[in-house]
Amino acid sequence: MLKSHKTSNQAKPQVIIMISTFDLFKIGIGPSSSHTVGPMKAGNLFIQNLLDKNLLPQVNKIHAVLYGSLGATGRGHGSDIAVMLGLMGEEPHLTDVKLIQHKIATIRTTKKLSLNQQIEIDFNPDTDLILNGSEFLPYHPNALTIEAFADDKLLLSDTFYSIGGGFVKTEQEAKNDEPVIDTVKKPVPYPFDTAEALLSICKTNKLSITEVVKANELANMNEKALNDNLHAIWQVMQDCVIDGCHNEGILPGGLNVKRRAKAIYRQLSGIDSRKVFHDLLGVMDWINLYALAVNEENASGGRVVTAPTNGAAGVIPAVMHYYKDFCQNYSDEKIYEFLLTASAIGIIIKENASISGAEVGCQGEVGSACAMAAAGLTHVLGGTPEQCCNAAEIGIEHHLGMTCDPIAGLVQVPCIERNAMAAVKAINASRLALKGDGFHVVSLDKVIKTMKETGQDMMAKYKETALGGLATNVLDNQKIPVIDVTVNYSQC
């Protein structure tokens, strides 16, 4: 969110805080940015608060409650595991994904938890970490409260809201509707929070969207750091696709979903050339593969990049791999431009609507990712700023009303295939926009406003609670925990 102030010598407000590319693209773990990455960050923040107040040595008991959507689908998303890891001092971008199951198994067996790897306390996950899916706190469907005790004395109690994409707000920040941006701290030269403002900046200064975002990022880091960070994001995306193409088996969680990417990769690798097909739609098979590979890794708790969320993590990498493997002007520099342009669209969506499935449904996750990917691809293929925004608008417009109804609360069905469908749709949106002049009956700002209003009108059971849609119609009802949820989401 933009935050500004005026002085007597200023005709215009000076922007103090603005969402960064690296707020939207964060390296973390699966399966969910809001339900896994956010709760882990919350646990870590709670430990940091204890350290800051010199309270950690006194703690001998921790109690945590996950509310609303976090509570309703917490086990399927690994939210309980994430909180425990956060309390151990683990961070999403640094934790060793190969050791997570061992660490959690040790906690469950020993009934001990090492706070920040310093203070060992008695901890029973079954009684000290409660999933309360029937109660929603005021400011967002994803909420958790953590309390620390010295025997029966309450030392500290904090409530956090995981608002999507790995963003976390404290109770006070949520109450005051404060921005939570860690990456950018200095004023930026080209602040924008709408597509209209962005296009005006581009036109006035004769800049591309990439150049606008790059200038803003360079206000807080040098060019080498910017390129290094963008390279790191791209590298994790590529590694994720490679891992997904070589891993096989059944995804965890009990749905018995079989990983498909490796088998598809073997089939496609038998073709002599990726660029010559008897089937003219053969390229689509590769796009599907890229998306499936990423989201199967995400569903397995692997290393992924929020783009802008984990549930939608496969869309942008799939389109970027399409550009790399099937377009002629690929370069690392162009890939960086892709990410910067895509982030501009994500910033506008985050400012004016939501990227949280628990808040607006899957239109806010996969729909946003589709829009971001469409804009990024349009830019690297030579599109104007107007064509980039038109591509983004098409991407969102044709995801309006999409619900978030994960079966058994797992980020598997329909989430994995949904990423493949959105990646293909993003490429088509780009192609449509590139055939036009950038102007359209529906503007990007208007479709984002519509997405927000649609999310507000959507019933709670279709917003990442696993209480409606496919979540209740595919499996036997007796196998699904039914929670009576009555909540006014217009307050969220």
Side-chain angles (χ1 to χ4, degrees):
M1 179 176 291
L2 299 184
K3 186 178 180 180
S4 63
H5 71 269
K6 290 184 179 181
T7 68
S8 58
N9 296 323
Q10 288 177 313
K12 294 182 179 181
Q14 183 186 46
V15 172
I16 304 302
I17 297 175
M18 186 169 176
I19 296 172
S20 163
T21 297
F22 306 106
D23 291 314
L24 291 166
F25 295 111
K26 295 189 285 288
I27 297 171
I29 63 169
S32 171
S33 50
S34 59
H35 286 60
T36 313
V37 175
M40 188 187 297
K41 290 176 66 176
N44 198 282
L45 286 170
F46 186 76
I47 289 298
Q48 190 57 54
N49 288 345
L50 288 171
L51 288 168
D52 291 344
K53 299 175 186 298
N54 296 315
L55 294 173
L56 187 61
Q58 302 177 47
V59 178
N60 60 16
K61 182 180 179 182
I62 291 284
H63 184 73
V65 181
L66 279 60
Y67 296 98
S69 180
L70 282 185
T73 63
R75 288 202 171 86
H77 286 89
S79 304
D80 52 344
I81 292 172
V83 172
M84 288 185 274
L85 290 171
L87 292 171
M88 293 168 68
E90 298 280 355
E91 297 181 75
H93 65 293
L94 296 175
T95 189
D96 188 337
V97 295
K98 296 178 181 178
L99 298 178
I100 289 175
Q101 292 304 320
H102 172 72
K103 291 176 180 178
I104 299 303
T106 300
I107 294 172
R108 296 191 186 281
T109 300
T110 65
K111 301 295 190 291
K112 300 285 185 182
L113 177 67
S114 181
L115 300 177
N116 204 40
Q117 303 298 322
Q118 293 177 265
I119 306 295
E120 187 173 79
I121 64 169
D122 292 332
F123 185 86
N124 184 345
D126 294 331
T127 56
D128 294 323
L129 204 164
I130 306 300
L131 302 180
N132 183 359
S134 62
E135 183 177 352
F136 286 74
L137 299 193
Y139 304 112
H140 194 277
N142 294 331
L144 67 155
T145 297
I146 309 176
E147 297 174 325
F149 297 85
D151 296 327
D152 293 330
K153 178 184 177 182
L154 178 64
L155 297 174
L156 182 68
S157 177
D158 283 333
T159 295
F160 303 93
Y161 292 88
S162 182
I163 62 173
F167 290 89
V168 174
K169 284 188 176 186
T170 64
E171 177 90 7
Q172 194 63 39
E173 289 167 341
K175 182 178 180 180
N176 296 337
D177 195 24
E178 295 179 21
V180 184
I181 310 299
D182 297 327
T183 309
V184 175
K185 295 181 174 63
K186 297 178 183 177
V188 296
Y190 301 116
F192 63 88
D193 57 2
T194 65
E196 182 181 10
L198 175 60
L199 290 174
S200 177
I201 291 168
C202 291
K203 183 176 181 180
T204 300
N205 297 279
K206 295 181 171 56
L207 298 172
S208 67
I209 292 176
T210 285
E211 289 169 329
V212 170
V213 178
K214 182 176 181 179
N216 287 346
E217 297 296 343
L218 291 178
N220 290 274
M221 65 184 74
N222 61 41
E223 189 156 4
K224 182 180 184 305
L226 175 61
N227 289 336
D228 286 348
N229 288 334
L230 291 169
H231 176 76
I233 289 168
W234 175 225
Q235 188 62 57
V236 172
M237 288 179 171
Q238 292 180 93
D239 292 343
C240 195
V241 168
I242 292 170
D243 290 343
C245 287
H246 289 86
N247 290 327
E248 59 187 343
I250 303 297
L251 294 173
L255 275 184
N256 295 318
V257 174
K258 184 179 179 180
R259 295 177 72 135
R260 291 177 287 173
K262 183 175 181 178
I264 295 173
Y265 175 69
R266 284 176 173 171
Q267 293 171 20
L268 296 180
S269 297
I271 299 173
D272 292 335
S273 169
R274 291 186 180 194
K275 299 179 182 179
V276 180
F277 296 91
H278 296 298
D279 178 359
L280 295 180
L281 293 179
V283 174
M284 192 182 298
D285 292 332
W286 284 98
I287 298 163
N288 288 332
L289 169 65
Y290 302 141
L292 292 176
V294 171
N295 283 86
E296 286 177 357
E297 282 298 295
N298 179 64
S300 297
R303 178 79 61 207
V304 297
V305 176
T306 62
T309 68
N310 282 29
V315 179
I316 291 174
V319 177
M320 291 171 73
H321 276 77
Y322 159 78
Y323 170 65
K324 173 179 177 288
D325 291 340
F326 297 102
C327 298
Q328 295 181 351
N329 65 335
Y330 168 80
S331 68
D332 282 347
E333 181 179 317
K334 286 291 186 181
I335 279 291
Y336 302 161
E337 292 182 12
F338 188 117
L339 288 169
L340 291 170
T341 301
S343 73
I345 304 305
I347 288 168
I348 295 168
I349 295 170
K350 187 77 173 66
E351 287 284 2
N352 296 282
S354 175
I355 58 173
S356 169
E359 195 169 11
V360 295
C362 198
Q363 59 175 351
E365 297 203 30
V366 166
S368 296
C370 179
M372 294 167 68
L377 181 62
T378 301
H379 169 77
V380 296
L381 294 181
T384 65
E386 290 79 11
Q387 287 173 318
C388 291
C389 287
N390 184 202
E393 181 276 321
I394 295 170
I396 293 181
E397 183 177 31
H398 300 291
H399 281 92
L400 288 176
M402 181 172 281
T403 61
C404 184
D405 52 352
I407 298 174
L410 300 168
V411 192
Q412 297 178 15
V413 183
C415 318
I416 296 173
E417 283 184 355
R418 190 167 282 175
N419 276 254
M421 298 298 292
V424 172
K425 193 178 291 187
I427 294 169
N428 198 32
S430 175
R431 295 177 70 87
L432 283 170
L434 286 167
K435 295 295 188 292
D437 57 9
F439 296 94
H440 198 252
V441 172
V442 180
S443 70
L444 178 56
D445 288 328
K446 290 294 177 62
V447 81
I448 290 173
K449 181 176 185 288
T450 302
M451 183 180 78
K452 180 180 180 179
E453 292 173 348
T454 303
Q456 290 173 336
D457 292 338
M458 191 180 291
M459 295 175 67
K461 68 180 182 178
Y462 296 118
K463 293 195 278 192
E464 209 167 1
T465 57
L467 299 175
L470 291 175
T472 55
N473 286 324
V474 173
L475 297 181
D476 187 287
N477 286 334
Q478 293 182 348
K479 297 180 181 179
I480 302 172
V482 178
I483 304 171
D484 182 17
V485 177
T486 304
V487 58
N488 182 3
Y489 271 81
S490 64
Q491 298 177 358
C492 297

